[in-house]
Amino acid sequence: MKRIIAFSALTALALVSAMTAQGPDITTWVKSFGGKPKLAVIDFRGAGSQDFMAAFNSTLFNDLKSSGLFELVPKGMLPLNNPQRPEDFRPVDGNGLALADWAKPAASASHLAFGYTAAAGGALALYGYLDDVRQQNPQSAQLFGKRYAGSLDNAGAIKVAHEYANDIITQFGGTGSLLGSRIYFVSNRGSAKGNWEIWVMDWDGNNAKQLTKLGALTSMPNISPDGTKLAFTTWAYGQPRIELISTTTGRRLNFYNQEASLNANVSFTPDGKQIYYSSTANESLPQIYVANADGGGFKRVSHRNAIEVEPKVNPKNPGQLLIVSGPGHQQIYSMTSEGLNVERVTNGEGEASNPSWHPDGQHFAFAWTRGYATGNFNIFVMDIGTKQYVQLTHSEGRNENPTWAPDGRHIVFTSNRSGRPQIYSMLADGTEVRQLTNQGDNKFPVWGVQ
Amino acid sequence: MKMTNPRQILSPKRAMFATAILLSLLAVNCGGGKKPSGATAPVSTPVAKTTEAPATIPSQKPVIASFAVEPTVIERGQSAVLRWSVTGAAEVQIDNGVGTVPATGNRRVIPAESTTYKLTATGPGGDVSATATVTVTAPPEPPARPVTNTNTNKGTLESRVASDLQDAYFDYDSNNIRDDARASLTHDAEALKKIFADFPNASINLEGHCDERGSAEYNLGLGDRRSTAARDFLTQLGVPVDRIKTISYGKERPSCTDSNESCWQRNRRAHFSAGN
């Protein structure tokens, strides 16, 4: 796919700043996720595929909206006529078949997504285009045009809508793509009381599938950076133990657990070759250990007189760890991968937990009770350099376990704002909150690239 | 207060007995073993509690003036008293192991079961007899013995762990053994020793739990600290450490799910469960 220049000055600024250590202040940084080209999206129609266009149009619109990259023009503001092919454009029209009709009020758009679908050879073909309607010339206005293929049913329509939306989002410079990314989580749906299993779903909440059938309490998953290995903690054998499975085959991978009352809280290094975890193998407090991905070659990292859990390796600097620890009530600490230079990162207020690195290695999301009663966590984001932070959720129940999407723009988290714990995604400025689960109780989401 | 008129000790019935005995003795003395002169003694009893007592005195047969037992109903192990009075007998016997007795007397008996005593008076004119029955009842059952003291019915390991062992409770974000937890665990130490004696191959899980407020991951560590602290305390009291396995459940297996201190306290606990 050809890559075009980034069109949003705001987005470009956010990208540049994310790559430098001295970026904008944290509030500006999270607001940059609201960088807003004004995008008009027509209602696509189908020729022989019309029965599936409701699913297509809602999927396309939701993907584009939840990306947070655009201000979507309300459909009531759109001109009467829609172009379906580039050759439909005229120099002057007044009702939608001229580029200028989209740039002027009431639409006032900067960009237009248009096209159509048709049944072709028993399959569904989508012809999707993206134009910059501020341009005069239809040739130079077109950012891309592409043919997509799917099955001639709702599933095929949803598939091509995702792919087309992803291409549009990519045009606006997301650091990664959500297409094909999946969210791993734990759910008690269909399990005996007290038991939880690992599940996976598409990033928009569709296609939920059960991955483990251990018939036990199983929890706290984490995904390798390449999305091929899933690590979690299970009580299937009595004491909490670490287990790894392949996300492609579902098979259990070899992993050696040290003799300990507790081995838990796994996370992977950026190269996926090692894991950090919390263990009582020293027969004392839970402390941070590092081992190869098969559990061999384990080594104690820290020697501190406090509970240590949730080691998280900086994706851009494998020598830096964030952990959750004391003394006193739980806070987030930074240390080297050798367990040195221990420094408290959060300011000691309330209780802080669940650090999750942004792909830039400069920021992290976390859960914090600051300003609320004990146990009432909200999602915050902090700049590791300046220690500035910004609050993204505001006391809508308990909000915990934030983890970043591969695109660095979305956060998935658990909230009980509906009464029971469910999984939500939001844009990293706290907007575009979407509930992704509604069957049973669901928690501990992590976002994998596949 | 005990200034009782001696006359009142005798009930009317007893007064009649006494009179009869006196008259009987007079009759014996009058008889003197000689043939009566034809004049019969003006004795007109029968008396209470006698059977087969003749209405008149045949010339040569003894007379059983009375034969009775008091009380007539006893519990097993208690005693009763037989009382009798016979005139004109060469020999008086009572069966059921009492044997030959004087013509007048009493005897304490402790029958193991309900017994009918038969008194037989033998004289020159023949035998007469009378009976008296004492009914023996069983004593009431004692209270059931405490279950924990019975080795014959030690129950299952699960039932013993559930009934004999108490949870130890903790403060928020703490694994310190409080005074109330100290008392619970001291009790548990003795109970554990008995359970291990009754189940020589069993091991017991010591679970660490937390309330819902801290993060799940941190609570996993805290639950481990609680179960370990409780186990160390039990070890000091002589409980074999190798038979107790600590398992932290963090806040993943709460015993209640309300959001208030009462429920939070119930969940901040070290809890025992049957191992293998």
Side-chain angles (χ1 to χ4, degrees):
Chain A
M1 183 192 320
K2 62 176 179 174
R3 182 166 264 283
I4 313 292
I5 48 172
F7 284 86
S8 163
L10 266 175
T11 305
L13 178 65
L15 273 172
V16 171
S17 66
M19 290 182 235
T20 58
Q22 295 299 316
D25 73 40
I26 189 72
T27 304
T28 307
W29 188 75
V30 301
K31 280 189 174 167
S32 73
F33 295 111
K36 305 286 186 187
K38 224 174 156 188
L39 179 63
V41 184
I42 70 163
D43 268 330
F44 284 58
R45 292 181 292 127
S49 50
Q50 58 272 13
D51 290 349
F52 319 118
M53 296 317 289
F56 174 91
N57 282 313
S58 66
T59 301
L60 177 64
F61 194 84
N62 283 334
D63 281 8
L64 294 170
K65 185 168 192 297
S66 68
S67 77
L69 284 169
F70 312 104
E71 182 183 339
L72 286 164
V73 178
K75 291 202 167 169
M77 302 283 200
L78 301 184
L80 285 176
N81 290 332
N82 296 331
Q84 295 190 92
R85 295 177 298 187
E87 50 266 45
D88 292 342
F89 281 118
R90 302 164 192 175
V92 178
D93 177 67
N95 284 319
L97 295 182
L99 286 167
D101 297 343
W102 296 85
K104 70 181 189 188
S108 303
S110 60
H111 297 82
L112 172 64
F114 66 101
Y116 66 102
T117 71
L124 183 146
L126 160 69
Y127 298 88
Y129 305 92
L130 179 68
D131 276 26
D132 180 346
V133 296
R134 297 165 300 188
Q135 305 283 321
Q136 306 297 318
N137 181 329
Q139 275 74 46
S140 60
Q142 184 179 320
L143 302 180
F144 75 84
K146 193 172 169 184
R147 184 185 191 277
Y148 303 82
S151 54
L152 189 56
D153 51 19
N154 271 334
I158 289 170
K159 170 185 172 281
V160 296
H162 280 318
E163 291 173 350
Y164 176 43
N166 185 66
D167 283 346
I168 295 171
I169 289 164
T170 303
Q171 290 296 317
F172 291 88
T175 55
S177 164
L178 294 183
L179 187 68
S181 70
R182 297 198 292 175
I183 293 168
Y184 299 84
F185 60 103
V186 306
S187 180
N188 66 359
R189 64 185 84 170
S191 290
K193 184 175 178 352
N195 287 352
W196 298 75
E197 303 281 358
I198 309 285
W199 287 64
V200 64
M201 62 185 171
D202 292 348
W203 67 272
D204 58 359
N206 289 320
N207 288 325
K209 294 188 188 83
Q210 185 173 346
L211 280 185
T212 63
K213 286 178 179 161
L214 289 161
L217 172 57
T218 297
S219 193
M220 302 174 195
N222 224 321
I223 186 76
S224 64
D226 66 1
T228 60
K229 292 175 190 159
L230 187 80
F232 51 84
T233 305
T234 184
W235 281 254
Y237 317 106
Q239 292 166 319
R241 287 285 177 265
I242 293 167
E243 191 156 314
L244 267 68
I245 59 172
S246 161
T247 58
T248 50
T249 66
R251 287 183 177 251
R252 189 176 166 190
L253 301 172
N254 195 33
F255 186 85
Y256 174 74
N257 274 279
Q258 295 182 74
E259 184 58 41
S261 62
L262 178 153
N263 293 318
N265 289 171
V266 196
S267 73
F268 291 85
T269 52
D271 62 8
K273 290 180 178 169
Q274 288 186 301
I275 60 158
Y276 283 84
Y277 59 104
S278 180
S279 174
T280 54
N282 51 83
E283 299 192 339
S284 177
L285 292 150
Q287 299 275 286
I288 304 302
Y289 283 72
V290 64
N292 299 328
D294 64 359
F298 53 83
K299 182 181 79 168
R300 184 172 173 181
V301 170
S302 54
H303 295 78
R304 299 177 57 244
N305 186 27
I307 293 169
E308 294 182 336
V309 292
E310 292 199 273
K312 301 288 179 64
V313 188
N314 186 326
K316 288 289 165 64
N317 173 13
Q320 182 181 30
L321 295 178
L322 290 177
I323 67 166
V324 173
S325 184
H329 294 321
Q330 58 187 112
Q331 296 283 314
I332 295 173
Y333 287 73
S334 168
M335 64 168 71
T336 71
S337 56
E338 303 295 321
L340 304 174
N341 302 338
V342 179
E343 176 199 10
R344 196 183 69 221
V345 174
T346 45
N347 65 13
E349 292 180 71
E351 296 178 332
S353 62
N354 307 150
S356 171
W357 285 105
H358 186 271
D360 67 8
Q362 180 67 27
H363 302 87
F364 64 93
F366 63 108
W368 200 6
T369 63
R370 179 187 175 278
Y372 296 92
T374 304
N376 287 349
F377 287 93
N378 277 292
I379 309 293
F380 287 71
V381 172
M382 180 177 277
D383 183 321
I384 188 71
T386 65
K387 310 288 193 293
Q388 291 180 319
Y389 53 85
V390 63
Q391 183 175 346
L392 301 184
T393 65
H394 297 272
S395 196
E396 295 136 330
R398 284 176 70 111
N399 302 280
E400 297 175 276
N401 290 106
T403 60
W404 287 93
D407 69 353
R409 304 184 56 81
H410 288 82
I411 290 172
V412 66
F413 63 101
T414 307
S415 177
N416 67 356
R417 62 185 64 187
S418 68
R420 304 298 310 168
Q422 299 293 351
I423 293 171
Y424 295 78
S425 67
M426 65 180 171
L427 202 57
D429 66 350
T431 63
E432 303 293 346
V433 177
R434 287 180 69 189
Q435 183 172 345
L436 302 181
T437 57
N438 54 33
Q439 292 180 47
D441 292 352
N442 304 278
K443 49 193 186 180
F444 299 111
V446 288
W447 206 319
V449 298
Q450 61 169 294
Chain B
M1 293 296 125
K2 298 296 180 189
M3 295 278 287
T4 311
N5 182 341
R7 291 179 58 85
Q8 292 178 340
I9 293 173
L10 292 175
S11 66
K13 193 184 269 184
R14 287 188 181 233
M16 194 167 77
F17 265 124
T19 305
I21 290 167
L22 182 60
L23 291 174
S24 300
L25 289 172
L26 287 171
V28 169
N29 287 340
C30 287
K34 300 170 190 165
K35 195 174 178 178
S37 60
T40 56
V43 175
S44 63
T45 62
V47 299
K49 301 289 182 189
T50 61
T51 58
E52 299 180 25
T56 57
I57 301 174
S59 58
Q60 296 301 325
K61 280 193 176 182
V63 173
I64 300 173
S66 67
F67 179 46
V69 63
E70 183 73 18
T72 56
V73 178
I74 60 170
E75 275 183 13
R76 185 180 302 127
Q78 293 183 317
S79 62
V81 176
L82 296 168
R83 296 178 194 279
W84 64 92
S85 177
V86 178
T87 55
E91 183 179 61
V92 178
Q93 283 195 320
I94 301 175
D95 63 0
N96 284 306
V98 180
T100 302
V101 295
T104 297
N106 61 64
R107 182 68 62 91
R108 184 176 296 275
V109 293
I110 309 177
E113 55 194 6
S114 295
T115 303
T116 296
Y117 292 91
K118 183 178 182 185
L119 179 147
T120 304
T122 306
D127 295 348
V128 293
S129 63
T131 61
T133 298
V134 58
T135 301
V136 179
T137 60
E141 289 294 315
R145 304 177 73 176
V147 173
T148 49
N149 290 340
T150 63
N151 281 328
T152 52
N153 181 19
K154 60 189 182 184
T156 65
L157 180 63
E158 288 76 12
S159 68
R160 291 283 298 280
V161 168
S163 65
D164 297 0
L165 298 174
Q166 303 171 353
D167 287 355
Y169 295 101
F170 294 85
D171 286 335
Y172 181 69
D173 199 5
S174 167
N175 63 327
N176 289 335
I177 304 290
R178 305 192 308 214
D179 287 346
D180 60 328
R182 187 176 295 269
S184 296
L185 291 170
T186 302
H187 160 91
D188 291 337
E190 294 313 306
L192 279 165
K193 289 173 190 171
K194 289 190 182 110
I195 291 173
F196 284 142
D198 288 345
F199 298 91
N201 298 316
S203 77
I204 286 178
N205 296 333
L206 182 45
E207 305 174 356
H209 296 273
C210 306
D211 73 32
E212 65 174 357
R213 292 177 293 171
S215 73
E217 296 83 355
Y218 181 84
N219 276 339
L220 199 50
L222 179 61
D224 187 84
R225 298 301 296 152
R226 286 177 177 162
S227 57
T228 302
R231 185 200 59 190
D232 291 349
F233 187 88
L234 293 170
T235 304
Q236 289 172 13
L237 297 179
V239 176
V241 66
D242 59 339
R243 300 188 63 178
I244 293 182
K245 184 160 81 170
T246 58
I247 300 180
S248 175
Y249 283 101
K251 62 174 179 177
E252 308 304 316
R253 286 275 169 87
S255 72
C256 56
T257 55
D258 299 327
S259 293
N260 56 51
E261 173 54 29
S262 162
C263 175
W264 291 333
Q265 176 62 88
R266 279 174 59 195
N267 282 328
R268 294 192 303 265
R269 72 199 195 278
H271 173 77
F272 296 91
S273 62
N276 46 42

